[in-house]
């Protein structure tokens, strides 16, 4: 295990640095490290690490969302309003419907299998989007119109919506039928997650004000409570839907609103934790990618992926219509909603494991979507934000 960790860090940071020098997003080097070292490459990652890969990736996501919550001012979200709400489900719905309509003729799958594939593909990757939106918030780009906040909030809820639909479609395939009540779980999950997170955030703030402790300990306590939120989601799943990841964001947002001084202080510590979490997340996503599964998908899968992305961009355009965003700013929002990685790596193999006949095809297309859209979205965001977004006046004067 020690050798595996050493190789992950050394090779991951090296390839990330090399690609960064070439003007490419470093996460590609980390994903490539996972593919090279993983079980479908040279098999140099120990089974013990692979066995807890899903948990380690989840911890990394918790770090991202906790950091995002500490930067997400609720007043900003109120100002954004309708577009942020529509971004939570409109683009994903457009992409899912496109895949459901086109996949049967392109890939020879059934309509229900196409819907399952659409649900796998439709989620945007918070691991790619959130750190970049945090960078924009810190640097000031798009801040006047709350563009990074809008994208970050929409992308976080988007995943909850898609995963609930994925579960519903799998239930239909398994013979349990489609219960319309399962769709009600989406808003209930969102509202309950935010409510529980706000309550936990208020309790933490009271504790931090009552008892003196180092900021490092406060960070560890926040992370521990955040992990408990995700565990509570799993515990309640049979009886009541709750989004643990949204609860994590709500904890950070509540701390920012009620104890802003602390939120500003601990943001730096979360940024440092993210350095280690990021490499674990993307290397382990890469390790989950079976490159041999790409062979049978071919050009038709690429046509499907790009067709769905084009319609997804239309969904983003509709979501931000009627706002004061310029054409360039709207195009940036569409680009920021392209990347896929974590959700696809997490659920792409589930249909195959559950015996869905097209499970192998679903996994192959999910892998291809990661390889195509993660760099496409990441490079698109990194290369366009200075051109498409504006800086506040005070930044320009500086």
């Amino acid at each position: 295990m020690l050798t595996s960790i050493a190789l992950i860090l050394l090779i991951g940071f090296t390839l990330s640095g090399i690609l960064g020098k070439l003007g490419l997003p470093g996460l590609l080097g980390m994903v490539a490290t996972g593919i090279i070292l993983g079980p479908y490459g040279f098999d140099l990652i120990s089974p013990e690490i692979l066995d807890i890969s899903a948990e380690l990736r989840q911890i990394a996501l918790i770090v991202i969302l906790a950091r995002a919550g500490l930067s997400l001012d609720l007043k900003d979200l109120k100002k954004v309003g309708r577009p942020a709400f529509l971004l939570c489900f409109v683009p994903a719905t457009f992409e899912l419907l496109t895949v459901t309509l086109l996949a049967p003729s392109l890939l020879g799958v059934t309509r229900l299998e196409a819907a399952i594939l659409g649900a796998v593909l439709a989620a945007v990757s918070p691991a790619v989007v959130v750190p970049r939106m945090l960078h924009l918030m810190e640097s000031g780009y798009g801040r006047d119109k709350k563009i990074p906040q809008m994208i970050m909030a929409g992308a976080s809820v988007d995943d909850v919506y898609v995963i609930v639909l994925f579960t519903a479609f799998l239930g239909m395939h398994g013979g349990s039928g489609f219960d319309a009540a399962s769709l009600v779980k989406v808003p209930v999950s969102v509202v309950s997650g935010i409510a529980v997170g706000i309550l936990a955030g208020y309790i933490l703030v009271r504790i931090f004000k009552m008892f003196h402790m180092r900021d490092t300990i406060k960070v560890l306590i926040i992370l521990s409570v955040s992990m408990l939120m995700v565990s509570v989601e799993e515990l309640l799943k049979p009886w009541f839907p709750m989004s643990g990841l949204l609860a994590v964001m709500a904890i950070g947002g509540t701390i920012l609103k009620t104890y802003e001084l602390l939120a500003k202080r601990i943001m730096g510590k979360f940024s440092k934790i993210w350095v280690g979490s990021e490499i674990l997340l993307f290397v382990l996503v890469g390790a989950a990618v079976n490159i041999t599964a790409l062979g049978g998908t071919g050009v038709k899968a690429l046509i499907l992926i790009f067709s769905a992305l084009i319609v997804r961009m239309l969904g983003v355009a509709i979501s931000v219509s009627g706002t004061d965003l310029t054409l360039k700013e709207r195009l940036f929002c569409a680009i920021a909603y392209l990347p896929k990685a974590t959700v696809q790596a997490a659920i792409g193999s589930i249909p195959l494991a559950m015996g869905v006949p097209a499970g192998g095809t679903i996994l192959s297309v999910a892998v291809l979507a990661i390889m195509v859209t993660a760099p496409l979205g990441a490079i698109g965001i990194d290369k366009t934000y200075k051109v498409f977004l504006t800086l506040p006046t005070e930044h320009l004067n500086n």
Side-chain angles (χ1 to χ4, degrees):
M1 186 182 287
L2 291 178
T3 303
S4 298
I5 293 173
L7 290 173
I8 287 171
L9 295 176
L10 291 173
I11 299 176
F13 283 129
T14 300
L15 290 183
S16 174
I18 291 172
L19 290 179
K21 293 291 184 182
L22 296 174
L24 298 171
L27 71 89
L28 293 181
M30 298 176 190
V31 173
T33 300
I35 294 173
I36 293 167
L37 298 179
Y40 305 107
F42 290 101
D43 197 17
L44 295 176
I45 299 179
S46 71
E48 291 84 1
I49 292 179
L50 293 175
D51 288 343
I52 59 170
S53 172
E55 287 77 11
L56 292 174
R57 282 180 286 171
Q58 197 165 46
I59 290 172
L61 274 177
I62 288 170
V63 172
I64 297 172
L65 294 176
R67 185 181 167 209
L70 289 166
S71 305
L72 199 58
D73 195 323
L74 297 178
K75 295 192 294 290
D76 291 339
L77 283 182
K78 290 179 182 177
K79 291 176 184 176
V80 173
R82 180 187 63 86
F85 173 73
L86 293 178
L87 283 172
C88 295
F89 65 92
V90 172
T93 301
F94 273 44
E95 184 171 10
L96 193 155
L97 289 174
T98 302
V99 174
T100 304
L101 290 173
L102 297 182
S105 57
L106 285 173
L107 303 178
V109 298
T110 67
R111 191 71 66 190
L112 180 54
E113 289 168 341
I116 295 172
L117 173 59
V120 171
L121 295 182
V124 70
S125 173
V128 177
V129 173
V130 170
R132 282 168 171 76
M133 294 307 108
L134 288 173
H135 171 68
L136 296 189
M137 290 165 64
E138 291 164 1
S139 59
Y141 282 95
R143 197 178 71 189
D144 282 350
K145 297 182 181 178
K146 315 300 178 189
I147 293 172
Q149 292 91 329
M150 175 179 69
I151 293 171
M152 191 161 66
S156 301
V157 180
D158 168 283
D159 289 352
V160 178
Y161 171 67
V162 168
I163 290 171
V164 170
L165 289 179
F166 172 76
T167 306
F169 293 142
L170 269 184
M172 290 176 66
H173 191 279
S176 60
F178 180 71
D179 181 7
S182 63
L183 294 181
V184 179
K185 291 180 181 178
V186 178
V188 173
S189 176
V190 169
V191 172
S192 61
I194 292 173
V196 171
I198 290 173
L199 176 62
Y202 274 118
I203 293 172
L204 285 175
V205 167
R206 292 290 299 273
I207 291 172
F208 293 154
K209 287 182 176 180
M210 287 173 60
F211 303 101
H212 175 73
M213 62 187 80
R214 295 173 57 186
D215 284 348
T216 303
I217 296 175
K218 292 173 183 172
V219 168
L220 293 175
I221 291 173
I222 292 169
L223 281 177
S224 300
V225 173
S226 298
M227 292 176 196
L228 282 176
M229 292 294 105
V230 176
S231 300
V232 168
E233 176 185 0
E234 290 298 316
L235 188 66
L236 294 178
K237 187 176 287 186
W239 303 283
F240 186 78
M242 187 200 87
S243 171
L245 294 179
L246 279 179
V248 172
M249 282 191 71
I251 289 173
T254 303
I255 293 173
L256 177 63
K257 182 174 178 60
T258 58
Y259 200 172
E260 186 174 354
L261 179 63
L262 174 64
K264 302 296 184 187
R265 286 206 314 261
I266 63 177
M267 262 298 293
K269 294 187 181 293
F270 271 98
S271 298
K272 292 174 183 176
I273 294 173
W274 170 239
V275 173
S277 302
E278 179 184 37
I279 192 165
L280 270 182
L281 176 63
F282 287 109
V283 169
L284 292 175
V285 166
V289 172
N290 182 359
I291 54 174
T292 61
L294 299 176
T297 55
V299 177
K300 290 183 178 179
L302 284 173
I303 293 172
L304 177 67
I305 290 169
F306 279 105
S307 298
L309 288 179
I310 291 170
V311 178
R312 181 184 185 86
M313 293 176 78
L314 176 62
V316 175
I318 291 173
S319 299
V320 298
S321 63
T323 66
D324 62 347
L325 298 186
T326 66
L327 181 60
K328 286 183 177 180
E329 289 167 338
R330 296 181 189 204
L331 182 56
F332 177 81
C333 292
I335 292 170
Y337 250 57
L338 294 180
K340 306 169 189 307
T342 43
V343 175
Q344 288 71 28
I347 69 176
S349 61
I350 293 176
L352 180 62
M354 293 185 64
V356 176
T361 301
I362 292 171
L363 176 59
S364 298
V365 178
V367 168
L368 194 58
I370 293 172
M371 304 303 288
V372 170
T373 64
L376 186 67
I379 294 171
I381 294 170
D382 294 344
K383 297 296 183 184
T384 62
Y385 75 88
K386 290 183 179 179
V387 179
F388 289 173
L389 303 182
T390 57
L391 276 171
T393 308
E394 65 268 22
H395 282 260
L396 292 173
N397 293 336
N398 292 333

